[in-house]
Amino acid sequence: MIKSLNSIIKRTEWFRHDRFGMFIHWGVYSIPGKGEWIRSHQEISVEDYQEYVDTFNPTKYDPKQWAKMAKEAGMKYVVMTAKHHDGYCLFDSKYTDYKSTNSPIGKDLVKEFVEAVRAEGLQVGLYFSLIDWHHDDYPKYGDMIHPMRNNEAYKDESIDFDNYLSDMHGQIEELLTQYGSLDILWFDYSYDDMTGEKWQATKIMEMVRKYQPQAITDNRLETSGSGQGSIVTDSITDYSGDFVSPEQLVPHEGIRNHAGEFVPWELCVTMNNNWAYNPTDYLYKSPKTLIRKLVECVSKNGNMLLNVGPDALGVINDESQYILREFGQWMEDHKESIYGCGYADIPKPEWGYYTRNDHIIYAHVFEDPIGPLALTGIDKDQVESVRWLHDDSEVKISNSWTTESYQDVLFVQFGEVPHFTYPLPNKIDSVLKITLKGS
C-alpha cells in the first residue's frame, strides 16, 4: 500500500463533508454504571465481573430508535462499540464465548445495529478494542492498564501473545466480512510498547483494504487520543489511519501536518463526563456548548463525534435525548453551514467563528453586538449579499455614522436604524450567509 495525504484526503471525502456523527459506548459495563473502564479502575477480576456478564439482558434495545435519533439530530454517521476493553463482544464471534449471543438476550447486537443505521441512510462505523482484558493471553501483571496489573498471582504467568493476536485478527476479520459494507473502523488504542507492529498493524490494514477498501480508520493503531501519529509527518505508515482522533479536547488550531497542511481529524466528546452509562453523572454539557463546539471543529476543518451511553436495558436517557433534540432544531435551520464546510482562511472573529464552502462564508455569531456587527477579514467589495441562513432574509450592509472611522471593515446591521442594537435571532448560534461575487 502507498499512503499519502492525497490518498487520505480522497478516501475521507464523504467524512469531511458530513462533519457530525454519533458515538455509542454500550455493553456489559452499563450494568454497574461506572464507565467502561470499571474493571481497570477498580481492578476487578474476570470472576467478579462475571455477574454482570451473566445478567446482561438489554430487553429495550432498539437500534432503529437510536439511528432515528442520530438522523434527527443532524448526525450523518454512527459508530458503536462492537467490543470494548473488557473483551465482551456484542457480535457473534467464533473466537470467544464471551459474547451477546450467549447472554440472556441471545442476539447479535451488532447485526441489528448496522441494519438499523443503514436503513436511516447513515454511514456505519464499528469500534473495536485492540485491548482485551478477558483474553488469557493478553499481558496482565505490570501492564499499564490491565485490571490485574498489580496482582502478583500473574507475575510469572506465561502467555502466548501470538495466540492473542490470532484471535484478535480473527475477530476483526469477522466484523469485516459478516456485516456488509462498513464506512468506519474505529480502533482503540495503542500505549507504551503496545503499538503499531506489536498489533501486527500492517496485516490488520491489509485485511481492511482487502474486505472493505472504502472504509476509513482512525489513527489509534499507532497512538491514542493524546497523540497524532505518523499521519502528521512526512513518513506516513500504512497503518497511520485516515484521521486523527483527539479526545475531550478541541485542538486550538485544528490539526496540520509537518508542512502546515490540514489533515482530517475528529473530536470525540462525551455529553457528560463518562463515555458509558453512569446514572450518577449529572454534569451534562449544555446544548449551546456542544453545538458551538461542533461549529468550532468545522471552522478548523474537523469533525465531531458526540457520544451517548445507553443504559443496561438499551435506553438512551432523557438528558441525552434532550441534547440530541436541541441539535436537531439548530441543524434544521443551519446545517448548510456545517455539511461540506470547513476552514474559511480568515482570522477568527471575536464574536464567534467562520465556516466556508467555496464562495459562501458562514458567520456564526455567538454574541450580541452593540450596534452594527463587524465582519472582520472579509473584503466588503467582494460581497454580493448577506442573509440570515435560517430564513433567507436580507441583512443590510451598514454605513452607520458610528463606523466612519473603520472604512476598511465590513459592517452589517440587524435592523432599520444603523446604530441601534437588535437581538440575535438564535441565542445559541445565529448564522449569516455571506455570498461572494463571482460565484
Side-chain angles (χ1 to χ4, degrees):
M1 293 183 289
I2 299 176
K3 198 84 173 279
S4 67
L5 182 57
N6 286 339
S7 66
I8 290 171
I9 293 298
K10 182 177 181 180
R11 194 193 322 280
T12 58
E13 184 175 359
W14 71 264
F15 177 75
R16 292 178 294 103
H17 174 276
D18 289 354
R19 291 303 187 197
F20 187 31
M22 175 184 280
F23 215 174
I24 301 173
H25 277 70
W26 185 58
V28 169
Y29 41 77
S30 302
I31 298 176
K34 300 297 180 184
E36 69 289 348
W37 277 74
I38 183 172
R39 276 205 62 205
S40 178
H41 290 165
Q42 299 186 15
E43 300 188 21
I44 298 173
S45 68
V46 168
E47 292 76 17
D48 289 340
Y49 195 65
Q50 189 62 35
E51 64 173 298
Y52 306 127
V53 174
D54 292 340
T55 56
F56 183 56
N57 191 22
T59 54
K60 296 183 179 180
Y61 174 55
D62 185 358
K64 293 179 181 178
Q65 186 182 45
W66 294 0
K68 184 178 180 182
M69 288 180 190
K71 185 173 183 177
E72 290 178 350
M75 294 157 162
K76 290 290 193 178
Y77 56 99
V78 188
V79 181
M80 186 175 79
T81 50
K83 184 181 85 167
H84 210 281
H85 306 332
D86 64 353
Y88 189 83
C89 296
L90 300 186
F91 61 99
D92 189 16
S93 173
K94 69 181 181 181
Y95 295 95
T96 184
D97 293 328
Y98 210 56
K99 56 189 178 181
S100 61
T101 49
N102 286 343
S103 73
I105 199 69
K107 292 182 178 181
D108 185 326
L109 302 172
V110 167
K111 180 176 184 294
E112 294 187 13
F113 165 76
V114 298
E115 290 173 353
V117 172
R118 288 195 194 103
E120 288 293 341
L122 304 177
Q123 307 285 78
V124 177
L126 293 179
Y127 167 110
F128 182 85
S129 173
L130 303 169
I131 301 158
D132 189 329
W133 296 327
H134 180 261
H135 199 288
D136 289 339
D137 289 315
Y138 196 87
K140 303 173 188 66
Y141 185 80
D143 182 73
M144 187 173 78
I145 56 176
H146 196 284
M148 298 295 100
R149 59 190 175 274
N150 296 313
N151 189 330
E152 294 205 358
Y154 296 93
K155 186 174 183 179
D156 298 317
E157 181 188 41
S158 177
I159 64 170
D160 182 353
F161 193 67
D162 286 339
N163 182 57
Y164 172 72
L165 290 177
S166 177
D167 287 351
M168 186 254 279
H169 282 229
Q171 289 184 340
I172 294 172
E173 186 172 27
E174 288 174 329
L175 293 175
L176 292 171
T177 58
Q178 297 178 14
Y179 297 93
S181 179
L182 301 176
D183 302 294
I184 301 176
L185 272 299
W186 219 101
F187 295 111
D188 195 32
Y189 69 98
S190 295
Y191 64 99
D192 284 355
D193 67 336
M194 308 290 280
T195 181
E197 292 301 355
K198 182 81 172 186
W199 308 119
Q200 296 181 357
T202 298
K203 289 185 179 180
I204 290 174
M205 286 311 304
E206 287 173 350
M207 194 162 37
V208 171
R209 293 292 159 247
K210 176 181 177 181
Y211 295 119
Q212 301 280 350
Q214 79 292 335
I216 64 173
T217 63
D218 66 332
N219 64 332
R220 297 194 182 188
L221 282 170
E222 62 179 16
T223 186
S224 67
S226 63
Q228 296 180 353
S230 66
I231 191 173
V232 299
T233 73
D234 58 0
S235 300
I236 301 175
T237 66
D238 290 338
Y239 49 84
S240 69
D242 299 300
F243 60 93
V244 180
S245 56
E247 186 169 330
Q248 305 283 49
L249 179 72
V250 182
H252 64 285
E253 292 181 334
I255 296 180
R256 300 173 185 258
N257 66 9
H258 66 104
E261 302 166 303
F262 278 110
V263 300
W265 63 273
E266 174 192 70
L267 167 71
C268 55
V269 63
T270 54
M271 289 184 175
N272 53 11
N273 286 318
N274 280 265
W275 293 102
Y277 181 67
N278 185 327
T280 64
D281 181 359
Y282 303 109
L283 298 176
Y284 285 85
K285 302 167 187 69
S286 69
K288 179 174 76 172
T289 293
L290 291 169
I291 289 169
R292 289 180 174 185
K293 289 304 171 185
L294 170 62
V295 170
E296 182 180 351
C297 288
V298 176
S299 77
K300 298 173 180 178
N301 267 357
N303 287 32
M304 188 167 89
L305 187 64
L306 180 61
N307 184 75
V308 296
D311 68 22
L313 293 175
V315 176
I316 296 174
N317 67 10
D318 291 343
E319 293 87 348
S320 300
Q321 289 192 43
Y322 166 69
I323 291 170
L324 293 174
R325 287 194 299 271
E326 290 292 298
F327 262 98
Q329 290 179 18
W330 185 85
M331 288 289 284
E332 179 64 27
D333 290 334
H334 304 102
K335 58 191 174 187
E336 181 185 317
S337 67
I338 299 296
Y339 304 145
C341 292
Y343 178 61
D345 199 18
I346 301 172
K348 179 191 177 305
E350 61 183 12
W351 38 255
Y353 291 94
Y354 291 122
T355 61
R356 185 170 187 162
N357 187 345
D358 195 19
H359 64 282
I360 299 176
I361 298 170
Y362 300 93
H364 296 262
V365 187
F366 296 168
E367 299 180 9
D368 291 292
I370 298 297
L373 178 74
L375 296 176
T376 53
I378 300 176
D379 184 349
K380 60 184 178 181
D381 293 331
Q382 296 300 313
V383 174
E384 182 177 286
S385 66
V386 182
R387 298 183 181 183
W388 286 119
L389 182 57
H390 70 281
D391 64 3
D392 204 34
S393 60
E394 181 184 30
V395 176
K396 292 182 178 180
I397 293 176
S398 182
N399 292 302
S400 170
W401 62 270
T402 60
T403 65
E404 288 180 357
S405 295
Y406 310 99
Q407 292 298 310
D408 294 333
V409 179
L410 169 64
F411 287 88
V412 292
Q413 62 192 60
F414 299 153
E416 288 300 317
V417 181
H419 62 280
F420 275 21
T421 296
Y422 298 90
L424 293 170
N426 189 294
K427 293 303 180 184
I428 293 177
D429 175 14
S430 300
V431 183
L432 293 168
K433 179 179 180 177
I434 305 160
T435 304
L436 303 181
K437 294 177 181 177
S439 59

